[in-house]
Amino acid sequence: MTQELATFAKRFNVAHADAYVLPALFERTAQVAGLPVRALLSQATYSNHALGEYLANTARKVANEDRAAH
């Protein structure tokens, strides 16, 4: 799944410094949505641009908040 996350990050311009939150973000979002993680990741990367943008922006926000808290 690492390669798929890297593809997502590249496609949606998620900085390397922010990408560390992607695994947990996708796992939690998939759990809430009732989807397998890989299915959500595939949708966000390739077929649902709005979902991809939302998750990329969320990753940036979470990473920024995490850095600010430390």
Side-chain angles (χ1 to χ4, degrees), residues 12-37:
F12 288 94
N13 299 315
V14 177
H16 196 50
D18 298 340
Y20 75 96
V21 303
L22 289 175
L25 177 63
F26 272 95
E27 285 181 33
R28 179 68 179 131
T29 304
Q31 183 181 45
V32 170
L35 293 170
V37 175

Side-chain angles (χ1 to χ4, degrees), residues 2-69:
T2 302
Q3 183 58 45
E4 292 94 338
L5 288 169
T7 299
F8 173 86
K10 183 176 180 180
R11 198 170 176 120
F12 288 94
N13 299 315
V14 177
H16 196 50
D18 298 340
Y20 75 96
V21 303
L22 289 175
L25 177 63
F26 272 95
E27 285 181 33
R28 179 68 179 131
T29 304
Q31 183 181 45
V32 170
L35 293 170
V37 175
R38 286 186 188 273
L40 177 69
L41 181 53
S42 179
Q43 283 183 27
T45 303
Y46 301 110
S47 63
N48 189 335
H49 188 76
L51 176 62
E53 285 292 336
Y54 173 78
L55 290 170
N57 288 332
T58 300
R60 291 180 196 100
K61 181 180 176 185
V62 169
N64 284 333
E65 289 174 0
D66 186 46
R67 281 191 291 275

